[in-house]
Amino acid sequence: MTTTTPIPDATTLTAALAEDVDRAFPALVRALQDDIYSGALRLTRDPHAAQDITQETFLRAYTALGLYPPQRIRDLSLRGWVWTIAANLCRNRARSRSRKPEAALEAAPPVADRRPGPEPEAMASIERDRLADLIGDLPWAMASAVVLRHVVDLAYEDIAEALDRPVGTVKSDVHRGLQRLRAQLEEESS
Amino acid sequence: MTDQIETTLAGLRVPAPHGVLPNVLAATGLADRYVQRDSVVGPVYVAFGGDGVTRLDIAMSESQFESEYEEMMGRPVVKVDDVPPALVTRVDRAISEGRPGRLAVDLSSLTDFQQAVLRKTAEIPPGEVRPYGWVAREIGKPGAVRAVGTALARNPVPLIIPCHRVVRSDGQFGQYSLGDAANKPRLLREEGVDLEGLESLATRRVRYTGSDTTKIYCHPTCRHARRTMEIHQVEFKSEKAAEKAGYRACKVCRPAVAA
């Protein structure tokens, strides 16, 4: 089992960042922007908020990298570290939103097409939309763990770092979250 | 153990919107930004960094503008939609008036000589023209007429720094770097320059006009020259001829270094 989540050329990227943050930073944004946006979108259910959070995450990462000594940058597990920032922004937004339950749900953009044929694709799309809605109704602890594990595809160790929870807790949050989602989907289809 | 729900969750991954990378790079200052604006000669791209406007060019292919920019400036440039309204107002104003005004222009990538040429050129008021030789003399390099032409041809911010107001002393317009060469007379006409009048003077080799009431001589398009009534207007082919006739140089348009 991997201890951290690899991104293409992660070591090269941290090495490049340690060498020259300004030069390597665009590559960091390119490598992680889909990650952050997808996770933020599923946790906020709002494309505008997700884009804002994605941008703000990178701005904060840039500022932090500028202050870190090179060795510290080399030792970073990039995805887990960047998600520490992103998860905080998502949670803050979820908190401020939960006090305003009337907030409108905006339509999520179409998800990536990974299946052949119009009919299975249409079914899968409906299923994904439904699931996206259900995630938003989960308590933060479960929603964040499920999204980081299964949408963003982070390793448990990275999620633990990002959410500042022990690995065991994260695993059980993912497990309980999935259980709840399954139960709700079954309840609806029966 | 992978079941249906996990597969569906994996399908909830989506690409980030295209704006993310440009917005982040612009906000961190790692890239310069550019916007599209309108002008007399059509849509133009205006790029700016932290120290002001760096470049203006005819709006054509975005990718071409971006790659040329990076090659020339050594920094990436990204197109943005939302810039501070105050900045947009200044840009539009600078373009329509043909002078920087309150808009900061960053010429730091140029040589001292190029900067001097462009700063001097920026002083030429709308509706007036000056010869290349005038710019050369005003910046203290009277022999560098050709180099002035080269510097103006490489003006990174045409329209805003009005290189179209610098013309050949024989009355021809000379080169113009922004789009079509015909854009130069087009811009001048738009500003109210009497092109036919200038041509008529040039064919008679007249370089200056003076007023026999004030005994002052000017560049023909100087706002003081244009105030002179026709019956009082006299024509000179050179500074020497004017001085010899007892005229002194205008202190505003400075046909010769005014005393």
Side-chain angles (χ1 to χ4, degrees), chain A residues 22 25 29-30 33-35 37-38 41-42 51 55 58-59 62 111 114 127-128 131 135 146 150-151 178 181-182, chain B residues 1 3-21 23-25 27-30 76:
Chain A
D22 284 1
F25 189 74
V29 178
R30 282 195 192 92
Q33 59 177 350
D34 294 352
D35 266 18
Y37 179 74
S38 300
L41 177 64
R42 298 317 169 191
Q51 182 168 355
Q55 290 171 184
F58 286 119
L59 292 184
Y62 177 73
V111 292
R114 293 181 183 189
E127 214 173 293
R128 283 197 294 262
L131 198 54
I135 292 169
V146 167
H150 289 294
V151 179
L178 286 181
L181 290 173
R182 261 186 220 112
Chain B
M1 184 194 82
D3 62 16
Q4 181 58 34
I5 200 168
E6 293 177 9
T7 313
T8 311
L9 282 168
L12 288 177
R13 189 183 164 87
V14 290
H18 293 298
V20 168
L21 181 68
N23 288 345
V24 168
L25 294 187
T28 51
L30 293 176

Side-chain angles (χ1 to χ4, degrees), chain A residues 64-78:
Chain A
L65 288 170
L67 300 172
Y68 287 2
Q71 192 51 51
R72 179 157 180 203
I73 297 177
R74 249 177 246 120
D75 293 343
L76 285 176
S77 167
L78 274 179

Side-chain angles (χ1 to χ4, degrees), chain B residues 27-167:
Chain B
T28 51
L30 293 176
D32 291 343
R33 290 172 278 185
Y34 73 102
V35 290
Q36 183 172 325
R37 308 304 303 163
D38 283 322
S39 80
V40 171
V41 297
V44 290
Y45 291 145
V46 185
F48 44 92
D51 294 326
V53 171
T54 48
R55 198 159 166 73
L56 183 152
D57 204 350
I58 296 285
M60 288 187 295
S61 136
E62 288 181 14
S63 58
Q64 190 186 336
F65 178 78
E66 288 161 16
S67 60
E68 281 178 9
Y69 189 94
E70 187 157 358
E71 194 172 308
M72 215 169 309
M73 310 297 290
R75 288 162 61 77
V77 68
V78 292
K79 196 171 186 192
V80 290
D81 294 323
D82 41 336
V83 280
L87 180 61
V88 168
T89 309
R90 276 180 208 179
V91 168
D92 285 347
R93 199 165 176 162
I95 289 173
S96 69
E97 292 182 357
R99 57 177 155 201
R102 293 180 60 207
L103 181 68
V105 176
D106 180 5
L107 301 176
S108 57
S109 66
L110 306 177
T111 65
D112 289 349
F113 177 81
Q114 288 173 311
Q115 293 188 33
V117 168
L118 295 174
R119 290 221 181 81
K120 182 47 72 180
T121 301
E123 294 174 11
I124 307 171
E128 302 188 20
V129 296
R130 302 284 182 270
Y132 290 97
W134 175 83
V135 177
R137 201 192 55 230
E138 284 284 314
I139 62 169
K141 311 264 182 190
V145 180
R146 212 166 251 282
V148 165
T150 308
L152 289 173
R154 293 186 189 149
N155 178 7
V157 285
L159 300 183
I160 294 173
I161 288 184
C163 54
H164 59 278
R165 294 186 194 132
V166 184
V167 298

Side-chain angles (χ1 to χ4, degrees), chain A residues 9 59 65 68 91 97 120 130 158 165 184 190:
Chain A
D9 309 322
L59 292 184
L65 288 170
Y68 287 2
R91 191 184 48 194
R97 276 276 149 147
R130 186 64 206 130
D158 282 330
R165 281 177 230 162
Q184 267 165 321
S190 63

